Amino acid sequence: MNSGLFAFFLPVALAIMMTGLGLELTVKDFLRIQRHPKVIFLALFAQLIILVLIAFLICILLKLPPLLAVGLMLLAASPGGPTANLISYLFKGDVALNITLTAINSLICTFTLPFIVNLSIHYFLGDHAKIGMPAEKITQVFLIVFIPVCLGMLIRSIAPNLALKLNRPMRLFSVLFLFLIFFYAIYRERFNIVEYFADIGFATALFCFISLSVGYLIPHMAGISDKQARACTFEIGIHNTSVAMTIALSVLSSTTIALPAGIYSIFMYIFAFIFGYILTRRPRLPKEENSAVMND
């Protein structure tokens, strides 16, 4: 595929995918924060602050190449993936909480993601780096993420039957879109992929394991019910890699920056299913069962 055509297609495809996410959201999803403020605060704090700091430490300690370091920071700054809702459902998490977190974090990240990526570019690539994220690029990210989500919510509000019919095709499109941009990034870097996997493979696997662990342990230690802790596990561990790869390819124009998200997408589903299996097989304590009943 022609690179210019692909660069045009990527933002359009992402906007369509974000519209699909909006079709699953309502204003009530945002209002639900009043019922569970503690768990929502902990999950957002872990996702927006702790994971970004952990990603930065991994970049420093493992001495990642500058472009791959920016890619890992972009991944860490990306919101949770819509597929976290499905995996949470499969492993008996609080899906309503997942939807709330996805909704809130998707909006917050339209502001925090450009800020974190811009700082990462300046830190790892220097002030005179060729890759930048000027005001028009920040606006582009905002337009292709925030506006389509609002559009999807509007469609659901005025035409719920249409939104229901579009839901499945939109999910399928998101999956195909993820595979497409992943293989495109791999193809563009096919001659360097082995070297890049050696450079970033361990870092992404480590970041994935830590993301899932932090997602469960912080709510669990704070006394949150096991069902909600599971929801946090997948919401925090399942990053929206398609958003990260799209921004890397279309906004930052770098297939190298897209690689950490692409490789992470391999590890996150494998690790998520392992974590889910372990959590569902772990015997629940009476305290956790009582807490789950109270939260329901």
Side-chain angles (χ1 to χ4, degrees):
M1 180 181 289
N2 180 272
S3 58
L5 179 62
F6 200 82
F8 170 78
F9 170 75
L10 284 174
V12 175
L14 178 60
I16 294 174
M17 187 178 64
M18 290 296 100
T19 302
L21 174 59
L23 291 174
E24 302 182 30
L25 303 176
T26 66
V27 176
K28 292 181 180 179
D29 295 324
F30 295 91
L31 298 178
R32 195 177 289 119
I33 190 174
Q34 298 176 357
R35 293 175 52 190
H36 305 291
K38 180 179 178 181
V39 64
I40 290 176
F41 172 79
L42 289 173
L44 292 176
F45 179 79
Q47 198 162 20
L48 296 171
I49 305 297
I50 296 179
L51 289 192
V52 172
L53 293 176
I54 290 174
F56 180 74
L57 289 176
I58 290 176
C59 293
I60 298 300
L61 294 177
L62 298 184
K63 299 179 180 179
L64 296 181
L67 288 175
L68 294 178
V70 172
L72 189 65
M73 294 302 296
L74 169 60
L75 173 66
S78 299
T83 51
N85 301 339
L86 176 60
I87 296 178
S88 181
Y89 170 75
L90 293 176
F91 294 108
K92 303 177 181 179
D94 188 337
V95 180
L97 175 60
N98 281 106
I99 294 175
T100 302
L101 290 171
T102 298
I104 297 173
N105 201 21
S106 294
L107 289 180
I108 294 177
C109 281
T110 59
F111 301 98
T112 59
L113 189 149
F115 176 74
I116 293 171
V117 172
N118 211 29
L119 286 181
S120 301
I121 288 172
H122 282 291
Y123 183 86
F124 292 108
L125 298 176
D127 293 332
H128 303 289
K130 294 181 180 180
I131 297 176
M133 205 170 189
E136 62 270 19
K137 294 297 185 181
I138 295 176
T139 303
Q140 181 182 351
V141 174
F142 179 82
L143 291 177
I144 64 179
V145 174
F146 178 74
I147 301 300
V149 168
C150 294
L151 176 61
M153 293 177 63
L154 179 62
I155 293 174
R156 173 166 177 169
S157 175
I158 62 179
N161 291 333
L162 175 62
L164 186 61
K165 292 180 180 179
L166 291 176
N167 189 26
R168 185 183 178 114
M170 285 292 192
R171 282 180 175 270
L172 179 60
F173 176 82
S174 298
V175 173
L176 294 176
F177 175 65
L178 175 60
F179 277 106
L180 177 62
I181 60 176
F182 172 65
F183 285 116
Y184 175 74
I186 295 298
Y187 173 77
R188 286 289 299 269
E189 297 291 341
R190 60 191 181 281
F191 299 114
N192 302 313
I193 191 63
V194 175
E195 177 184 352
Y196 285 147
F197 198 90
D199 289 335
I200 198 66
F202 176 72
T204 53
L206 179 62
F207 182 62
C208 182
F209 177 82
I210 293 176
S211 296
L212 289 164
S213 300
V214 166
Y216 183 77
L217 291 177
I218 289 183
H220 182 70
M221 291 187 296
I224 303 300
S225 72
D226 188 67
K227 185 177 182 180
Q228 291 185 335
R230 294 183 194 187
C232 293
T233 301
F234 302 118
E235 189 66 31
I236 294 172
I238 304 296
H239 290 268
N240 201 328
T241 52
S242 55
V243 170
M245 285 190 284
T246 299
I247 291 173
L249 292 172
S250 63
V251 180
L252 301 177
S253 303
S254 173
T255 53
T256 305
I257 293 179
L259 282 175
I263 296 175
Y264 186 91
S265 64
I266 298 174
F267 288 115
M268 72 178 184
Y269 291 113
I270 297 173
F271 285 9
F273 275 87
I274 293 175
F275 265 71
Y277 179 82
I278 293 173
L279 292 178
T280 53
R281 292 297 180 271
R282 187 180 69 86
R284 296 172 66 178
L285 300 176
K287 179 181 178 181
E288 292 176 341
E289 293 178 349
N290 292 335
S291 179
V293 172
M294 291 176 64
N295 278 282
D296 291 340

